[in-house]
Amino acid sequence: MTKRDPLFAIKVEDVVKSYAEVMVLRRIKFSLQPGEVAVILGANGAGKSTLLRILAMLTQPDSGSIDIYGNDIAKNGPQVRALTGSVLHSPMLYTDMSVRENLTLFAELYRLKNIDTLIEKNACKVGIQSRLDHRVRTLSHGFQKRAALARALMHKPQLLLLDEPESGLDSRSVSYLENVVEEYRSSGRTILMTTHIIEHALEIADKAIVITDGYVHLESTTTCLNKSNILSAYSHTLPKTSGDL
Amino acid sequence: MRESLAVIWAIGRKDLLLETRNKDVIVAISVFALLVLMIFTFAIDINQVNAKLTGPGILWASIAFAGVTGLNRAFALELEGNTLEALMLAPISRDLIYAGKMLGNFLFITAAQIIVIPIFAVLFNLAVLRWEMLVVSLLTTIGFSAIGTLFAAMTIRVRAREVMLPLLFLPVVTPLIMAAVESTSHVVNDSSWPEIYQWIQLAIAFDIAFIVISAFIFQQILED
């Protein structure tokens, strides 16, 4: 097992990713300390979701290196996945199974013990206790997202990756999400999320990373930022080099 | 080892649970195979001589073609909910995902054969319900599931996957179908076990090769 700098929860160095001729991420570089809640901001198509998919190990970068809690993700896949919980765009649940059946399946895949207790506890955290025995197909988008969040929390990951977690959620669902974020912050674990809601990002996160044109254009603590700083970073376009496309 | 088997069983059991609710795959395989058998019984004047000659080939061709429809459906379910990615998020080796999906496909094709083979025996008036046939059937289904799971995963994101899967699957399983047809011919002709076993050996060799190669390639497919 390749162990590197454990001081960082995430250390991303020069990550490049392109789809066909379109370069989505160009030498992305940033790091997060354990216990930080960070938010990735950027206009549509900036590469936020691609970056999160790379960190969740669903997409391979073309080049660059990523360490998660000292583990190189290229070499220690299963160890990194055990440390990471992810809620991406789609809930990724079996719609013809109940929420409980879905959570049980994933608890078995993560080789967890006391599965029934864990399910009850995490369902309570996201407010889906009353829907545990409902088939996912019958649930609203908001409840499906909450169920996906419960699945991501089941193995108590050190790092939580959330891709626009508040999209399609009502205010009550958002408050459950905020409780989870607070719990993570207070227990010294790390969250990296993407969002389009700048005000909410500044409120909830300790650090903001703005991606523009596939580069990290701005990386700062949220106390130093306001909405206009971020919007001006969105509109900043870097000059294209001949090798970019 | 026990933990790995538990993971494989969890994935296979999940596929079975979904199948008991949707009844898509087993019904599709069984009905398709029975339709092929029925067409051949009408197209060919079945008598005791040509039934032994043509029956084994018709049986395994129908199961192979019907199996493709089931394999397509089994992976389509993972695509609908993007759930293959959920499996990929778990801290398990990609081999275990392959083995779990293969187990599910093996169970579906086996269940369909439990329906199809007795009906074949009646339609062609052949004595196939023997333990030797059980061995032939199990080994052939292992090979079908091993290679079928791989190709179903390869074609999952291809737009014309219903066309691509049989184009990839059928040529590769042809040696296995040959072994199944020859050993079934020996079974219906009441041959001795050593005569059947020479073809069984071929099926075992293909099964081992298919499983090892497919498990390796499956990892590469998921990573890409």
Side-chain angles (χ1 to χ4, degrees), chain B residues 78-132:
Chain B
E78 299 285 358
L79 191 63
E80 280 168 16
N82 225 1
T83 44
L84 190 60
E85 291 197 337
L87 297 179
M88 289 167 64
L89 290 174
I92 53 174
S93 145
R94 308 310 198 200
D95 299 349
L96 300 183
I97 299 177
Y98 168 76
K101 290 301 295 177
M102 184 190 145
L103 173 65
N105 288 330
F106 172 80
L107 294 172
F108 297 153
I109 299 174
T110 302
Q113 285 180 9
I114 290 169
I115 300 166
V116 171
I117 292 177
I119 296 174
F120 164 78
V122 172
L123 288 174
F124 285 75
N125 194 23
L126 291 173
V128 288
L129 302 180
R130 292 168 48 180
W131 70 268
E132 292 95 334

Short mmCIF file of all heavy atoms in Angstrom, two decimals, chain B residues 78-132:
data_model
loop_
_atom_site.label_atom_id
_atom_site.label_comp_id
_atom_site.label_asym_id
_atom_site.label_seq_id
_atom_site.Cartn_x
_atom_site.Cartn_y
_atom_site.Cartn_z
N GLU B 78 -29.14 -2.36 -14.46
CA GLU B 78 -28.08 -1.61 -13.79
C GLU B 78 -27.91 -0.23 -14.43
O GLU B 78 -27.54 0.73 -13.77
CB GLU B 78 -26.75 -2.35 -13.86
CG GLU B 78 -26.73 -3.72 -13.22
CD GLU B 78 -26.68 -3.67 -11.69
OE1 GLU B 78 -26.63 -2.58 -11.12
OE2 GLU B 78 -26.74 -4.75 -11.09
N LEU B 79 -28.17 -0.17 -15.74
CA LEU B 79 -28.00 1.09 -16.46
C LEU B 79 -29.10 2.09 -16.10
O LEU B 79 -28.84 3.28 -15.94
CB LEU B 79 -27.99 0.81 -17.96
CG LEU B 79 -27.56 1.95 -18.86
CD1 LEU B 79 -26.12 2.34 -18.58
CD2 LEU B 79 -27.71 1.56 -20.33
N GLU B 80 -30.34 1.56 -15.96
CA GLU B 80 -31.49 2.44 -15.70
C GLU B 80 -31.28 3.31 -14.46
O GLU B 80 -31.54 4.50 -14.48
CB GLU B 80 -32.76 1.61 -15.53
CG GLU B 80 -33.37 1.17 -16.85
CD GLU B 80 -34.44 0.11 -16.68
OE1 GLU B 80 -34.94 -0.08 -15.56
OE2 GLU B 80 -34.77 -0.55 -17.70
N GLY B 81 -30.82 2.70 -13.38
CA GLY B 81 -30.66 3.48 -12.15
C GLY B 81 -29.23 3.92 -11.92
O GLY B 81 -28.91 4.40 -10.85
N ASN B 82 -28.35 3.72 -12.91
CA ASN B 82 -26.93 4.05 -12.76
C ASN B 82 -26.32 3.28 -11.58
O ASN B 82 -25.40 3.76 -10.92
CB ASN B 82 -26.78 5.55 -12.50
CG ASN B 82 -25.68 6.15 -13.33
OD1 ASN B 82 -25.05 5.45 -14.11
ND2 ASN B 82 -25.46 7.43 -13.17
N THR B 83 -26.88 2.11 -11.31
CA THR B 83 -26.50 1.40 -10.08
C THR B 83 -25.18 0.64 -10.20
O THR B 83 -24.60 0.29 -9.18
CB THR B 83 -27.62 0.42 -9.69
OG1 THR B 83 -28.06 -0.27 -10.86
CG2 THR B 83 -28.79 1.15 -9.07
N LEU B 84 -24.73 0.43 -11.45
CA LEU B 84 -23.42 -0.22 -11.59
C LEU B 84 -22.35 0.68 -10.94
O LEU B 84 -21.41 0.19 -10.32
CB LEU B 84 -23.10 -0.45 -13.07
CG LEU B 84 -21.89 -1.32 -13.37
CD1 LEU B 84 -22.04 -2.72 -12.77
CD2 LEU B 84 -21.64 -1.43 -14.85
N GLU B 85 -22.55 2.00 -11.07
CA GLU B 85 -21.60 2.94 -10.45
C GLU B 85 -21.68 2.86 -8.92
O GLU B 85 -20.67 3.03 -8.24
CB GLU B 85 -21.87 4.36 -10.93
CG GLU B 85 -21.52 4.52 -12.40
CD GLU B 85 -21.38 5.95 -12.84
OE1 GLU B 85 -21.96 6.83 -12.17
OE2 GLU B 85 -20.70 6.19 -13.85
N ALA B 86 -22.89 2.59 -8.41
CA ALA B 86 -23.02 2.45 -6.95
C ALA B 86 -22.22 1.24 -6.49
O ALA B 86 -21.55 1.29 -5.45
CB ALA B 86 -24.48 2.30 -6.56
N LEU B 87 -22.26 0.15 -7.26
CA LEU B 87 -21.46 -1.03 -6.91
C LEU B 87 -19.97 -0.69 -6.98
O LEU B 87 -19.18 -1.16 -6.16
CB LEU B 87 -21.76 -2.20 -7.86
CG LEU B 87 -23.19 -2.75 -7.88
CD1 LEU B 87 -23.31 -3.89 -8.89
CD2 LEU B 87 -23.60 -3.26 -6.50
N MET B 88 -19.62 0.15 -7.97
CA MET B 88 -18.21 0.50 -8.14
C MET B 88 -17.69 1.40 -7.02
O MET B 88 -16.48 1.52 -6.83
CB MET B 88 -18.00 1.21 -9.49
CG MET B 88 -18.13 0.27 -10.67
SD MET B 88 -18.26 1.18 -12.21
CE MET B 88 -16.68 1.99 -12.28
N LEU B 89 -18.60 2.06 -6.30
CA LEU B 89 -18.17 2.92 -5.18
C LEU B 89 -17.78 2.09 -3.95
O LEU B 89 -17.10 2.59 -3.06
CB LEU B 89 -19.30 3.88 -4.78
CG LEU B 89 -19.65 5.01 -5.75
CD1 LEU B 89 -20.88 5.75 -5.27
CD2 LEU B 89 -18.48 5.97 -5.90
N ALA B 90 -18.25 0.85 -3.91
CA ALA B 90 -17.98 0.02 -2.72
C ALA B 90 -16.51 -0.42 -2.71
O ALA B 90 -15.90 -0.60 -3.77
CB ALA B 90 -18.89 -1.20 -2.74
N PRO B 91 -15.94 -0.61 -1.51
CA PRO B 91 -14.51 -0.97 -1.42
C PRO B 91 -14.28 -2.45 -1.69
O PRO B 91 -13.76 -3.18 -0.84
CB PRO B 91 -14.16 -0.58 0.02
CG PRO B 91 -15.43 -0.74 0.76
CD PRO B 91 -16.54 -0.42 -0.18
N ILE B 92 -14.71 -2.89 -2.84
CA ILE B 92 -14.56 -4.31 -3.19
C ILE B 92 -13.84 -4.39 -4.53
O ILE B 92 -13.93 -3.47 -5.34
CB ILE B 92 -15.93 -5.04 -3.27
CG1 ILE B 92 -16.89 -4.30 -4.21
CG2 ILE B 92 -16.54 -5.21 -1.91
CD1 ILE B 92 -18.19 -5.02 -4.46
N SER B 93 -13.19 -5.52 -4.73
CA SER B 93 -12.49 -5.72 -6.00
C SER B 93 -13.52 -5.82 -7.13
O SER B 93 -14.63 -6.32 -6.93
CB SER B 93 -11.65 -6.99 -5.88
OG SER B 93 -11.60 -7.65 -7.08
N ARG B 94 -13.13 -5.36 -8.31
CA ARG B 94 -14.04 -5.43 -9.48
C ARG B 94 -14.35 -6.89 -9.82
O ARG B 94 -15.41 -7.18 -10.38
CB ARG B 94 -13.42 -4.75 -10.69
CG ARG B 94 -12.93 -3.32 -10.50
CD ARG B 94 -13.91 -2.42 -9.86
NE ARG B 94 -13.59 -0.99 -10.06
CZ ARG B 94 -14.04 -0.02 -9.32
NH1 ARG B 94 -14.80 -0.27 -8.27
NH2 ARG B 94 -13.75 1.24 -9.59
N ASP B 95 -13.42 -7.80 -9.47
CA ASP B 95 -13.66 -9.24 -9.72
C ASP B 95 -14.94 -9.70 -9.03
O ASP B 95 -15.67 -10.55 -9.54
CB ASP B 95 -12.53 -10.10 -9.14
CG ASP B 95 -11.20 -9.80 -9.74
OD1 ASP B 95 -11.16 -9.08 -10.74
OD2 ASP B 95 -10.20 -10.29 -9.20
N LEU B 96 -15.16 -9.17 -7.82
CA LEU B 96 -16.32 -9.62 -7.05
C LEU B 96 -17.62 -9.12 -7.68
O LEU B 96 -18.64 -9.81 -7.65
CB LEU B 96 -16.23 -9.15 -5.59
CG LEU B 96 -15.01 -9.66 -4.80
CD1 LEU B 96 -15.07 -9.20 -3.36
CD2 LEU B 96 -14.92 -11.17 -4.86
N ILE B 97 -17.58 -7.91 -8.26
CA ILE B 97 -18.76 -7.40 -8.97
C ILE B 97 -19.03 -8.32 -10.16
O ILE B 97 -20.17 -8.72 -10.41
CB ILE B 97 -18.55 -5.94 -9.46
CG1 ILE B 97 -18.31 -5.02 -8.27
CG2 ILE B 97 -19.75 -5.46 -10.28
CD1 ILE B 97 -18.02 -3.57 -8.64
N TYR B 98 -17.97 -8.68 -10.88
CA TYR B 98 -18.11 -9.58 -12.03
C TYR B 98 -18.71 -10.92 -11.57
O TYR B 98 -19.67 -11.42 -12.17
CB TYR B 98 -16.75 -9.80 -12.70
CG TYR B 98 -16.77 -10.92 -13.70
CD1 TYR B 98 -17.35 -10.74 -14.94
CD2 TYR B 98 -16.24 -12.18 -13.39
CE1 TYR B 98 -17.39 -11.78 -15.86
CE2 TYR B 98 -16.28 -13.22 -14.30
CZ TYR B 98 -16.86 -13.01 -15.53
OH TYR B 98 -16.92 -14.04 -16.43
N ALA B 99 -18.13 -11.48 -10.50
CA ALA B 99 -18.60 -12.79 -10.04
C ALA B 99 -20.06 -12.72 -9.58
O ALA B 99 -20.83 -13.65 -9.84
CB ALA B 99 -17.70 -13.28 -8.92
N GLY B 100 -20.44 -11.63 -8.92
CA GLY B 100 -21.82 -11.47 -8.46
C GLY B 100 -22.79 -11.37 -9.62
O GLY B 100 -23.86 -12.00 -9.62
N LYS B 101 -22.43 -10.57 -10.62
CA LYS B 101 -23.30 -10.43 -11.80
C LYS B 101 -23.36 -11.76 -12.57
O LYS B 101 -24.41 -12.14 -13.09
CB LYS B 101 -22.79 -9.32 -12.74
CG LYS B 101 -22.93 -7.92 -12.20
CD LYS B 101 -24.35 -7.53 -11.88
CE LYS B 101 -25.26 -7.46 -13.08
NZ LYS B 101 -26.66 -7.14 -12.67
N MET B 102 -22.22 -12.46 -12.61
CA MET B 102 -22.19 -13.76 -13.30
C MET B 102 -23.09 -14.76 -12.57
O MET B 102 -23.82 -15.54 -13.21
CB MET B 102 -20.75 -14.28 -13.34
CG MET B 102 -20.60 -15.56 -14.12
SD MET B 102 -18.96 -16.25 -13.89
CE MET B 102 -19.35 -17.98 -13.91
N LEU B 103 -23.05 -14.72 -11.24
CA LEU B 103 -23.90 -15.62 -10.45
C LEU B 103 -25.38 -15.36 -10.78
O LEU B 103 -26.15 -16.31 -10.99
CB LEU B 103 -23.64 -15.42 -8.95
CG LEU B 103 -24.57 -16.17 -8.01
CD1 LEU B 103 -24.39 -17.68 -8.15
CD2 LEU B 103 -24.31 -15.76 -6.55
N GLY B 104 -25.75 -14.09 -10.83
CA GLY B 104 -27.15 -13.75 -11.17
C GLY B 104 -27.53 -14.29 -12.53
O GLY B 104 -28.57 -14.96 -12.69
N ASN B 105 -26.67 -14.08 -13.53
CA ASN B 105 -26.97 -14.56 -14.88
C ASN B 105 -27.02 -16.08 -14.93
O ASN B 105 -27.87 -16.66 -15.63
CB ASN B 105 -25.91 -14.04 -15.88
CG ASN B 105 -26.07 -12.55 -16.12
OD1 ASN B 105 -27.17 -12.02 -16.05
ND2 ASN B 105 -24.98 -11.86 -16.39
N PHE B 106 -26.13 -16.73 -14.18
CA PHE B 106 -26.13 -18.20 -14.12
C PHE B 106 -27.47 -18.70 -13.57
O PHE B 106 -28.08 -19.62 -14.13
CB PHE B 106 -24.97 -18.68 -13.22
CG PHE B 106 -25.00 -20.15 -12.94
CD1 PHE B 106 -24.54 -21.06 -13.88
CD2 PHE B 106 -25.51 -20.64 -11.75
CE1 PHE B 106 -24.59 -22.43 -13.63
CE2 PHE B 106 -25.57 -21.99 -11.49
CZ PHE B 106 -25.10 -22.89 -12.43
N LEU B 107 -27.94 -18.07 -12.51
CA LEU B 107 -29.21 -18.50 -11.90
C LEU B 107 -30.39 -18.28 -12.86
O LEU B 107 -31.29 -19.12 -12.95
CB LEU B 107 -29.45 -17.76 -10.58
CG LEU B 107 -28.44 -18.10 -9.47
CD1 LEU B 107 -28.64 -17.18 -8.26
CD2 LEU B 107 -28.56 -19.55 -9.04
N PHE B 108 -30.37 -17.16 -13.60
CA PHE B 108 -31.47 -16.88 -14.54
C PHE B 108 -31.50 -17.91 -15.66
O PHE B 108 -32.57 -18.44 -16.01
CB PHE B 108 -31.33 -15.49 -15.18
CG PHE B 108 -31.39 -14.35 -14.20
CD1 PHE B 108 -30.76 -13.15 -14.47
CD2 PHE B 108 -32.08 -14.48 -13.01
CE1 PHE B 108 -30.81 -12.11 -13.56
CE2 PHE B 108 -32.14 -13.44 -12.10
CZ PHE B 108 -31.50 -12.26 -12.38
N ILE B 109 -30.33 -18.19 -16.26
CA ILE B 109 -30.30 -19.13 -17.39
C ILE B 109 -30.65 -20.54 -16.90
O ILE B 109 -31.36 -21.29 -17.57
CB ILE B 109 -28.93 -19.09 -18.12
CG1 ILE B 109 -28.68 -17.67 -18.67
CG2 ILE B 109 -28.90 -20.07 -19.28
CD1 ILE B 109 -27.29 -17.46 -19.27
N THR B 110 -30.16 -20.87 -15.69
CA THR B 110 -30.48 -22.19 -15.12
C THR B 110 -31.99 -22.33 -14.90
O THR B 110 -32.59 -23.35 -15.24
CB THR B 110 -29.73 -22.40 -13.79
OG1 THR B 110 -28.33 -22.27 -14.04
CG2 THR B 110 -30.01 -23.76 -13.19
N ALA B 111 -32.58 -21.27 -14.33
CA ALA B 111 -34.04 -21.32 -14.08
C ALA B 111 -34.80 -21.49 -15.39
O ALA B 111 -35.77 -22.27 -15.45
CB ALA B 111 -34.47 -20.04 -13.37
N ALA B 112 -34.34 -20.80 -16.43
CA ALA B 112 -35.02 -20.92 -17.74
C ALA B 112 -34.86 -22.34 -18.28
O ALA B 112 -35.80 -22.91 -18.85
CB ALA B 112 -34.44 -19.91 -18.71
N GLN B 113 -33.68 -22.94 -18.06
CA GLN B 113 -33.46 -24.31 -18.55
C GLN B 113 -34.35 -25.32 -17.83
O GLN B 113 -34.75 -26.32 -18.42
CB GLN B 113 -32.00 -24.70 -18.36
CG GLN B 113 -31.09 -24.03 -19.38
CD GLN B 113 -29.65 -24.42 -19.18
OE1 GLN B 113 -29.32 -25.30 -18.40
NE2 GLN B 113 -28.77 -23.73 -19.88
N ILE B 114 -34.64 -25.04 -16.55
CA ILE B 114 -35.52 -25.95 -15.79
C ILE B 114 -36.90 -26.00 -16.46
O ILE B 114 -37.59 -27.02 -16.45
CB ILE B 114 -35.60 -25.51 -14.31
CG1 ILE B 114 -34.25 -25.76 -13.63
CG2 ILE B 114 -36.73 -26.21 -13.57
CD1 ILE B 114 -34.10 -25.15 -12.26
N ILE B 115 -37.28 -24.89 -17.08
CA ILE B 115 -38.57 -24.85 -17.80
C ILE B 115 -38.41 -25.45 -19.21
O ILE B 115 -39.24 -26.25 -19.66
CB ILE B 115 -39.08 -23.39 -17.90
CG1 ILE B 115 -39.27 -22.80 -16.50
CG2 ILE B 115 -40.37 -23.30 -18.72
CD1 ILE B 115 -39.44 -21.29 -16.47
N VAL B 116 -37.32 -25.07 -19.88
CA VAL B 116 -37.19 -25.39 -21.32
C VAL B 116 -36.83 -26.85 -21.58
O VAL B 116 -37.43 -27.49 -22.46
CB VAL B 116 -36.13 -24.45 -21.95
CG1 VAL B 116 -35.79 -24.87 -23.37
CG2 VAL B 116 -36.62 -23.01 -21.93
N ILE B 117 -35.90 -27.42 -20.81
CA ILE B 117 -35.41 -28.77 -21.13
C ILE B 117 -36.50 -29.84 -21.00
O ILE B 117 -36.64 -30.68 -21.90
CB ILE B 117 -34.12 -29.09 -20.32
CG1 ILE B 117 -32.99 -28.18 -20.82
CG2 ILE B 117 -33.72 -30.57 -20.48
CD1 ILE B 117 -31.66 -28.32 -20.09
N PRO B 118 -37.34 -29.83 -19.95
CA PRO B 118 -38.42 -30.84 -19.92
C PRO B 118 -39.39 -30.70 -21.10
O PRO B 118 -39.85 -31.71 -21.65
CB PRO B 118 -39.13 -30.56 -18.59
CG PRO B 118 -38.12 -29.87 -17.75
CD PRO B 118 -37.29 -29.07 -18.68
N ILE B 119 -39.67 -29.45 -21.49
CA ILE B 119 -40.58 -29.25 -22.63
C ILE B 119 -39.91 -29.76 -23.92
O ILE B 119 -40.56 -30.39 -24.77
CB ILE B 119 -41.02 -27.78 -22.73
CG1 ILE B 119 -41.83 -27.41 -21.48
CG2 ILE B 119 -41.84 -27.52 -24.01
CD1 ILE B 119 -42.22 -25.96 -21.36
N PHE B 120 -38.61 -29.51 -24.03
CA PHE B 120 -37.85 -30.05 -25.17
C PHE B 120 -37.95 -31.58 -25.20
O PHE B 120 -38.17 -32.19 -26.26
CB PHE B 120 -36.38 -29.61 -25.05
CG PHE B 120 -35.42 -30.36 -25.91
CD1 PHE B 120 -35.31 -30.08 -27.27
CD2 PHE B 120 -34.62 -31.38 -25.38
CE1 PHE B 120 -34.42 -30.78 -28.07
CE2 PHE B 120 -33.73 -32.08 -26.18
CZ PHE B 120 -33.63 -31.79 -27.52
N ALA B 121 -37.80 -32.20 -24.02
CA ALA B 121 -37.86 -33.67 -23.94
C ALA B 121 -39.19 -34.19 -24.45
O ALA B 121 -39.25 -35.20 -25.16
CB ALA B 121 -37.65 -34.10 -22.49
N VAL B 122 -40.26 -33.46 -24.13
CA VAL B 122 -41.61 -33.89 -24.57
C VAL B 122 -41.76 -33.65 -26.07
O VAL B 122 -42.18 -34.54 -26.82
CB VAL B 122 -42.70 -33.12 -23.79
CG1 VAL B 122 -44.09 -33.41 -24.35
CG2 VAL B 122 -42.63 -33.48 -22.30
N LEU B 123 -41.41 -32.45 -26.53
CA LEU B 123 -41.61 -32.10 -27.96
C LEU B 123 -40.81 -33.02 -28.88
O LEU B 123 -41.28 -33.39 -29.95
CB LEU B 123 -41.19 -30.64 -28.21
CG LEU B 123 -42.09 -29.54 -27.65
CD1 LEU B 123 -41.45 -28.17 -27.87
CD2 LEU B 123 -43.46 -29.58 -28.32
N PHE B 124 -39.58 -33.35 -28.47
CA PHE B 124 -38.71 -34.17 -29.34
C PHE B 124 -38.71 -35.64 -28.92
O PHE B 124 -38.03 -36.45 -29.55
CB PHE B 124 -37.27 -33.61 -29.32
CG PHE B 124 -37.12 -32.34 -30.12
CD1 PHE B 124 -37.60 -31.14 -29.64
CD2 PHE B 124 -36.51 -32.36 -31.36
CE1 PHE B 124 -37.47 -29.97 -30.37
CE2 PHE B 124 -36.38 -31.20 -32.11
CZ PHE B 124 -36.86 -30.00 -31.61
N ASN B 125 -39.47 -35.93 -27.89
CA ASN B 125 -39.58 -37.31 -27.38
C ASN B 125 -38.19 -37.93 -27.15
O ASN B 125 -37.89 -39.02 -27.64
CB ASN B 125 -40.39 -38.16 -28.38
CG ASN B 125 -40.82 -39.47 -27.76
OD1 ASN B 125 -40.89 -39.59 -26.53
ND2 ASN B 125 -41.05 -40.48 -28.60
N LEU B 126 -37.34 -37.19 -26.43
CA LEU B 126 -35.98 -37.65 -26.15
C LEU B 126 -35.77 -37.77 -24.64
O LEU B 126 -36.25 -36.94 -23.88
CB LEU B 126 -34.95 -36.66 -26.72
CG LEU B 126 -34.86 -36.57 -28.25
CD1 LEU B 126 -33.92 -35.44 -28.65
CD2 LEU B 126 -34.38 -37.89 -28.85
N ALA B 127 -35.00 -38.78 -24.26
CA ALA B 127 -34.75 -39.01 -22.82
C ALA B 127 -33.54 -38.18 -22.37
O ALA B 127 -32.40 -38.67 -22.37
CB ALA B 127 -34.50 -40.49 -22.58
N VAL B 128 -33.77 -36.93 -22.09
CA VAL B 128 -32.65 -36.06 -21.67
C VAL B 128 -32.64 -35.82 -20.16
O VAL B 128 -31.68 -35.24 -19.65
CB VAL B 128 -32.69 -34.69 -22.39
CG1 VAL B 128 -32.30 -34.81 -23.83
CG2 VAL B 128 -34.01 -34.00 -22.21
N LEU B 129 -33.66 -36.24 -19.47
CA LEU B 129 -33.71 -35.94 -18.03
C LEU B 129 -32.87 -36.96 -17.26
O LEU B 129 -33.39 -37.84 -16.57
CB LEU B 129 -35.16 -35.89 -17.54
CG LEU B 129 -36.05 -34.87 -18.27
CD1 LEU B 129 -37.47 -34.89 -17.74
CD2 LEU B 129 -35.47 -33.46 -18.15
N ARG B 130 -31.56 -36.84 -17.43
CA ARG B 130 -30.61 -37.75 -16.79
C ARG B 130 -29.54 -36.92 -16.09
O ARG B 130 -29.33 -35.76 -16.44
CB ARG B 130 -29.96 -38.64 -17.85
CG ARG B 130 -30.92 -39.62 -18.49
CD ARG B 130 -30.30 -40.26 -19.72
NE ARG B 130 -28.93 -40.74 -19.45
CZ ARG B 130 -28.17 -41.34 -20.37
NH1 ARG B 130 -28.64 -41.52 -21.60
NH2 ARG B 130 -26.95 -41.75 -20.08
N TRP B 131 -28.84 -37.52 -15.14
CA TRP B 131 -27.85 -36.75 -14.39
C TRP B 131 -26.72 -36.24 -15.29
O TRP B 131 -26.15 -35.17 -15.05
CB TRP B 131 -27.31 -37.54 -13.20
CG TRP B 131 -26.42 -38.70 -13.57
CD1 TRP B 131 -26.81 -40.00 -13.77
CD2 TRP B 131 -25.01 -38.66 -13.79
NE1 TRP B 131 -25.73 -40.76 -14.11
CE2 TRP B 131 -24.60 -39.98 -14.13
CE3 TRP B 131 -24.05 -37.66 -13.75
CZ2 TRP B 131 -23.29 -40.31 -14.42
CZ3 TRP B 131 -22.73 -37.99 -14.03
CH2 TRP B 131 -22.35 -39.31 -14.37
N GLU B 132 -26.38 -37.00 -16.34
CA GLU B 132 -25.32 -36.55 -17.26
C GLU B 132 -25.73 -35.22 -17.92
O GLU B 132 -24.91 -34.34 -18.14
CB GLU B 132 -25.06 -37.59 -18.36
CG GLU B 132 -24.44 -38.90 -17.89
CD GLU B 132 -25.48 -39.96 -17.62
OE1 GLU B 132 -26.65 -39.60 -17.32
OE2 GLU B 132 -25.16 -41.15 -17.70
#
